[in-house]
Amino acid sequence: ELQNPIFPALAEVVGGALAQRGFTPVLCTRTAGGLSEADYVGMLLEQHVSGVVFAGCHHAEQGAPHDHYRLLRSRGVPAVLFNASIDGLDFPCVSTDDMTAAGQAYTHLASLGHQRIGLVAGPADHMPSRRKLAAFTEHARRGPAPVAPVEHALFSLEGGQAATTRLLRHGVTGVICASDVLALGAIRAVRRAGLSVPGDVSVVGYDDSAFMNCTDPPLTTVRQPIEAMGKAAVALLVNQMENVSVYPEELLFEPELVVRGSTGPR
């Protein structure tokens, strides 16, 4: 889906890298009431597609249907998965290290004196969110705070706002979000509660998507190395097309904390 600006950015990198190699990129997007992921795969197979890159798709959702991935595997169609996948799909995966990302965000807030830190994660069956939650829980367990509240939300501005409103009832002074869109919703929730960012509550996003340095305040976030990851995904895809041995392993890329104005001392 294209509401999160990180996906158009990734599509631009992947599409450009494919075009440079002589392929014609086709973008299939998720829209409410539109074609399902399985429908798209069926259509692409009818068109004799050379390979598929999946980003923000069902491979990262434990409770979603996955038969279309197995169909691609049975047909011998190359595919690459972007960001954490469930087990057993047998395709290579290109991911940002979610556990490191959550650790960077938590350590940053703790270094500013925050003790009551909350997490706004994606849906409970979302694999990248599960990894962030595991790292957050481990850091919180070693920290001084008796409570480390967690809220799950859909990846939307409204979801971030609702989840953060619930976190504020726990008295958090720091909020870590699983996407920049969720973080913008968190900032809105803080302001609706009559509080300020970062004066009363610090907010950390995830992705470093477009224009996050232009928000008010500019968003502290954990950057995904989209350029490098997109090019790696295309290289893995083309290698499969050319019958080069590619193992169904996960390439983990290091995230980078980008400190801006949405975080400050407790």
Side-chain angles (χ1 to χ4, degrees):
E1 49 88 23
L2 300 181
Q3 290 184 344
N4 185 337
I6 200 68
F7 290 122
L10 174 65
E12 187 173 9
V13 173
V14 170
L18 285 168
Q20 287 178 354
R21 293 172 179 259
F23 294 99
T24 301
V26 176
L27 181 63
C28 301
T29 61
R30 183 190 298 189
T31 57
L35 290 179
S36 71
E37 203 172 299
D39 291 337
Y40 274 129
V41 168
M43 179 181 70
L44 292 170
L45 285 172
E46 288 178 4
Q47 299 298 320
H48 306 290
V49 68
S50 299
V52 186
V53 176
F54 290 93
C57 295
H58 290 330
H59 67 271
E61 300 166 359
Q62 191 79 47
H66 301 112
D67 287 345
H68 50 287
Y69 296 97
R70 299 181 182 98
L71 176 61
L72 287 172
R73 169 59 65 195
S74 69
R75 297 281 186 90
V77 176
V80 175
L81 313 178
F82 191 85
N83 274 336
S85 169
I86 67 163
D87 294 332
L89 295 185
D90 293 331
F91 288 113
C93 186
V94 176
S95 301
T96 303
D97 190 332
D98 291 296
M99 299 190 74
T100 296
Q104 288 176 345
Y106 191 98
T107 302
H108 171 61
L109 291 178
S111 73
L112 293 171
H114 295 277
Q115 295 183 355
R116 300 184 72 87
I117 300 170
L119 174 69
V120 178
D125 72 337
H126 183 244
M127 298 306 293
S129 291
R130 283 188 173 191
R131 292 181 177 184
K132 291 183 180 74
L133 174 58
F136 172 81
T137 302
E138 178 60 25
H139 279 80
R141 186 183 63 79
R142 300 198 302 261
V147 177
V150 175
E151 294 289 343
H152 292 277
L154 296 177
F155 284 101
S156 67
L157 198 72
E158 296 77 15
Q161 180 180 347
T164 303
T165 299
R166 297 192 294 271
L167 285 179
L168 292 175
R169 296 173 189 149
H170 293 278
V172 300
T173 64
V175 178
I176 298 170
C177 298
S179 79
D180 290 340
V181 173
L182 287 173
L184 295 180
I187 291 173
R188 181 194 282 180
V190 173
R191 288 177 172 161
R192 293 277 173 90
L195 303 172
S196 68
V197 177
D200 299 302
V201 180
S202 288
V203 176
V204 182
Y206 179 78
D207 284 336
D208 193 28
S209 43
F211 307 118
M212 291 303 109
N213 60 336
C214 302
T215 58
D216 180 25
L219 186 67
T220 294
T221 186
V222 180
R223 176 180 295 158
Q224 292 200 72
I226 291 297
E227 184 85 17
M229 294 172 72
K231 289 179 177 177
V234 169
L236 286 169
L237 192 71
V238 173
N239 282 346
Q240 291 176 76
M241 296 176 191
E242 296 174 350
N243 295 317
V244 176
S245 293
V246 174
Y247 296 99
E249 298 174 331
E250 183 176 33
L251 292 182
L252 279 180
F253 284 74
E254 191 76 7
E256 177 189 358
L257 179 70
V258 182
V259 179
R260 298 192 182 106
S262 67
T263 52
R266 174 173 170 250

